[in-house]
């Protein structure tokens, strides 16, 4: 795509992405919040595609759909008011969290502007040449090389979080109330 | 990408959806009646839209278009013929999985937005199914990409010129077909929206254009999934005598017919049985498939 076409896609899409991201925090429904976040991240994936970062764009579209759907699933499971019908306020400790959000945003923006980004790896748009999968290859070497420890650490952390989430979902749930007789201890035992 | 690519993709998707609908009549043992099909479609489109009086009605209205977009992109990623370029990315297989991944939010939005007990239950059933089946699907896609050393579907077809992937990786095929059928909303995995069991489930309130879009998207999903099965496992357009595109059409039609036939003859399994098999058998087996793919690639390709 030409620079003008890219810009015409990028700026409206970026604005739309920010609006959907903002509305994630304006709604009190778990399902709506999760789906709005999916919309924001899906648009981000489309922006990556428009910027010719094919692999990251497609991967973002794939992963975010699955992850946001899982998030909706867990939020509806855990929250007292999943449909947002009681107008529950989801924000806590407003002044400090707003301050932290502004500080982190400013820091990330400064980092983004200060970083010496590599020039765009423009291939032929994937028209059959051997070099067109180059960004995939570069990401592969990055993951299996310098960044391997980071990714392994993140992966194990996420695994612990998932196991923890399932433990919370079992038995008495997040409030820790023991419910010995009210429901079967183990659903697997019923199959046997 | 020429200017005609979107037109060609839409023509393939619409024409293919019509063919899938005719194939359904064949599989059901009914007379092939294209006119009756069109009359039925016209009657569906003629009905007025229903709007549930719920806070999330906008999700309900967005779900059918999202499902249709996912279905069209799925069809567009399939390599239909050597020269055909739908969406021909070097990461096309991942785009295929990504397009299918948006079926889940679409069904969830349909059920949650519909808001009645059976619709919400259908939505959550589909969520549970897809969390279990998306993993084997994605893992199998990486295993067929390994021998081709490419995520481009056309390259995966080319590497099967001598040996189709179903021969070198039979377990991958056995895992891919049921997961793909589940994502394509096909019986017997239609626990989220079965007419008989759930009264339409997640889709039960849709009428008019909504219902038409969903029916169209379902046929397109069958087309895309059957086409991708033919391309990734049955050596796609390779074959003697006939032109490449004809082989692709033939293989896709056979796969689609078998999938529809399986839905006719197999009983609908209970949800917990399906989930137990997915988590305890299919996902570990998919890890084995990846190891097998690596061995096959190192030794033979």
């Amino acid at each position: 795509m030409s620079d003008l076409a890219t810009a015409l896609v990028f700026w409206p899409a970026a604005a739309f992405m920010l609006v959907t991201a903002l509305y994630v925090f304006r709604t009190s429904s778990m399902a709506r919040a999760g789906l709005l976040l999916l919309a924001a991240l899906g648009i981000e994936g489309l922006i990556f595609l428009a910027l010719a970062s094919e692999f990251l764009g497609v991967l973002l579209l794939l992963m975010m759909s699955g992850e946001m759907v899982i998030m909706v699933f867990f939020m509806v499971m855990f929250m007292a008011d999943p449909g947002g019908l009681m107008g529950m306020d989801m924000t806590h400790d407003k002044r400090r969290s707003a301050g932290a959000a502004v500080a982190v945003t400013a820091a990330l923006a400064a980092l983004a502007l200060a970083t010496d980004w590599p020039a765009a790896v423009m291939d032929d748009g994937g028209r059959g040449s051997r070099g067109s999968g180059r960004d995939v290859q570069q990401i592969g070497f990055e993951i299996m090389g310098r960044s391997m420890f980071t990714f392994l650490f993140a992966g194990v952390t996420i695994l612990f979080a998932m196991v923890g989430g399932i433990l919370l979902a079992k038995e008495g749930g997040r409030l820790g109330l023991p419910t010995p007789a009210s429901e079967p201890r183990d659903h697997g035992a019923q199959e046997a | 990408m020429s200017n005609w690519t979107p037109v060609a993709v839409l023509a393939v998707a619409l024409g293919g959806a019509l063919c899938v609908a005719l194939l359904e009549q064949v599989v059901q043992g009914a007379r092939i009646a294209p006119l009756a099909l069109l009359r039925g479609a016209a009657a569906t489109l003629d009905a007025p839209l229903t709007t549930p009086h719920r806070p999330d009605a906008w999700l309900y209205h967005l779900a059918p278009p999202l499902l249709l977009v996912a279905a069209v992109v799925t069809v567009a990623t399939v390599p239909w013929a050597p020269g055909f370029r739908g969406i021909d990315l070097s990461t096309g297989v991942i785009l295929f999985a990504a397009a299918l991944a948006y079926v889940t939010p679409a069904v969830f939005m349909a059920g949650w937005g519909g808001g009645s007990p059976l619709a919400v239950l259908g939505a959550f059933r589909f969520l549970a199914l897809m969390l279990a089946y998306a993993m084997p699907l994605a893992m199998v896609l990486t295993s067929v990409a390994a021998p081709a050393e490419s995520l481009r579907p056309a390259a995966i077809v080319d590497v099967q010129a001598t040996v189709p992937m179903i021969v070198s990786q039979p377990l991958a095929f056995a895992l891919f077909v049921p997961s793909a059928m589940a994502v394509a909303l096909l019986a017997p995995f239609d626990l989220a929206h079965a007419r008989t069991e759930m009264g339409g489930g997640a889709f039960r309130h849709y009428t008019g254009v909504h219902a038409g879009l969903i029916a169209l998207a379902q046929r397109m999903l069958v087309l895309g999934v059957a086409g991708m099965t033919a391309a990734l496992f049955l050596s796609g357009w390779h074959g003697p005598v006939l032109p490449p595109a004809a082989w692709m059409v033939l293989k896709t039609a056979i796969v689609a017919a078998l999938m529809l036939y399986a839905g006719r003859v197999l009983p609908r399994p209970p949800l917990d049985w399906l989930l137990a098999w997915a988590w305890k058998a299919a996902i570990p087996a998919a890890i084995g498939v990846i190891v097998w793919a690596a061995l096959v690639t190192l030794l033979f390709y």
Side-chain angles (χ1 to χ4, degrees):
Chain A
M1 275 200 282
S2 69
D3 283 352
L4 177 67
T6 307
L8 282 179
V9 173
F10 179 82
W11 291 107
F16 193 45
M17 179 180 84
L18 288 178
V19 170
T20 48
L22 183 68
Y23 268 88
V24 171
F25 299 98
R26 301 290 302 162
T27 177
S28 51
S29 155
M30 296 301 118
R32 252 175 279 161
L35 290 168
L36 280 166
L37 196 54
L38 171 59
L41 293 163
I43 296 167
E44 194 188 348
L46 294 177
I47 290 177
F48 271 105
L49 282 180
L51 296 176
S53 182
E54 190 185 302
F55 181 69
L56 287 181
V58 173
L59 201 65
L60 204 63
L61 283 172
L62 169 66
M63 301 304 290
M64 287 309 138
S65 167
E67 283 168 20
M68 292 308 119
V69 161
I70 292 173
M71 199 176 81
V72 170
F73 195 76
F74 272 77
M75 289 202 303
V76 170
M77 193 159 65
F78 284 145
M79 299 301 279
D81 179 21
L85 298 176
M86 295 186 281
M88 191 178 83
D89 189 3
M90 291 203 299
T91 52
H92 309 284
D93 201 2
K94 292 181 189 176
R95 190 173 299 169
R96 267 195 293 173
S97 52
V102 169
V104 170
T105 308
L108 286 176
L111 198 64
L113 290 177
T115 304
D116 183 21
W117 297 102
V121 188
M122 292 296 288
D123 58 29
D124 56 355
R127 289 289 152 274
S129 76
R130 291 296 295 172
S132 61
R134 205 154 55 143
D135 59 339
V136 184
Q137 198 181 25
Q138 285 173 343
I139 292 165
F141 278 109
E142 180 72 28
I143 289 175
M144 298 308 280
R146 200 172 56 147
S147 303
M148 192 187 230
F149 181 75
T150 316
F151 277 89
L152 281 179
F153 186 77
V156 173
T157 311
I158 292 167
L159 183 66
F160 280 147
M162 289 196 298
V163 173
I166 291 165
L167 281 178
L168 281 175
K170 264 176 75 78
E171 301 281 334
R174 132 185 111 99
L175 301 177
L177 299 174
T179 53
S182 61
E183 54 182 40
R185 276 183 60 81
D186 185 7
H187 290 285
Q190 290 176 326
E191 297 166 8
Chain B
M1 184 154 84
S2 83
N3 291 333
W4 291 100
T5 303
V7 181
V9 166
L10 280 180
V12 168
L14 287 171
L18 183 67
C19 294
V20 170
L22 293 174
L23 207 57
E24 276 173 28
Q25 293 182 331
V26 175
V27 169
Q28 283 165 3
R31 219 155 41 85
I32 305 177
L35 281 180
L37 199 70
L38 292 178
R39 271 200 295 274
T44 306
L45 294 180
D46 212 26
L49 294 181
T50 43
T51 299
H53 294 284
R54 302 271 170 185
D56 288 316
W58 61 282
L59 292 178
Y60 174 89
H61 289 296
L62 277 179
L66 179 61
L67 192 64
L68 191 70
V69 169
V72 170
V73 176
T74 307
V75 172
T77 53
V78 177
W80 293 108
F84 185 87
R85 308 232 184 266
I87 305 177
D88 186 37
L89 297 181
S90 63
T91 50
V93 172
I94 301 183
L95 183 64
F96 172 75
L100 286 181
Y102 283 81
V103 173
T104 316
V107 174
F108 180 76
M109 283 156 66
W112 182 269
S116 70
L118 274 183
V120 175
L121 182 62
F124 275 103
R125 277 186 164 197
F126 197 72
L127 264 185
L129 263 183
M130 277 312 107
L131 296 188
Y133 281 94
M135 281 307 290
L137 191 72
M139 287 155 92
V140 165
L141 287 176
T142 48
S143 82
V144 292
E149 295 182 18
S150 170
L151 291 164
R152 185 193 300 275
I156 299 176
V157 173
D158 276 335
V159 84
Q160 300 174 73
T162 47
V163 182
M165 211 67 90
I166 187 176
V167 175
S168 58
Q169 301 194 37
L171 184 57
F173 178 75
L175 290 179
F176 181 81
V177 170
S179 345
M181 283 173 70
V183 185
L185 303 163
L186 276 171
F189 303 102
D190 55 350
L191 289 90
H193 59 98
R195 283 256 162 251
T196 47
E197 187 177 317
M198 300 285 288
F203 301 139
R204 65 183 268 127
H205 301 295
Y206 284 112
T207 53
V209 178
H210 282 151
L213 287 182
I214 287 174
L216 182 65
Q218 279 180 305
R219 302 318 179 281
M220 285 184 185
L221 281 174
V222 175
L223 175 72
V225 160
M228 209 42 141
T229 310
L232 296 185
F233 290 98
L234 306 174
S235 68
W237 56 65
H238 293 294
V241 187
L242 292 178
W247 273 111
M248 194 58 196
V249 168
L250 195 65
K251 288 173 184 174
T252 305
I254 292 171
V255 171
L258 287 177
M259 283 178 169
L260 293 170
Y261 184 69
R264 290 279 297 168
V265 295
L266 294 178
R268 187 179 301 121
L271 184 68
D272 50 353
W273 186 91
L274 273 177
L275 290 182
W277 272 95
W279 285 106
K280 294 174 189 166
I283 293 180
I287 296 175
V289 161
I290 291 181
V291 174
W292 176 256
L295 285 177
V296 167
T297 306
L298 285 177
L299 291 178
F300 298 112
Y301 283 91

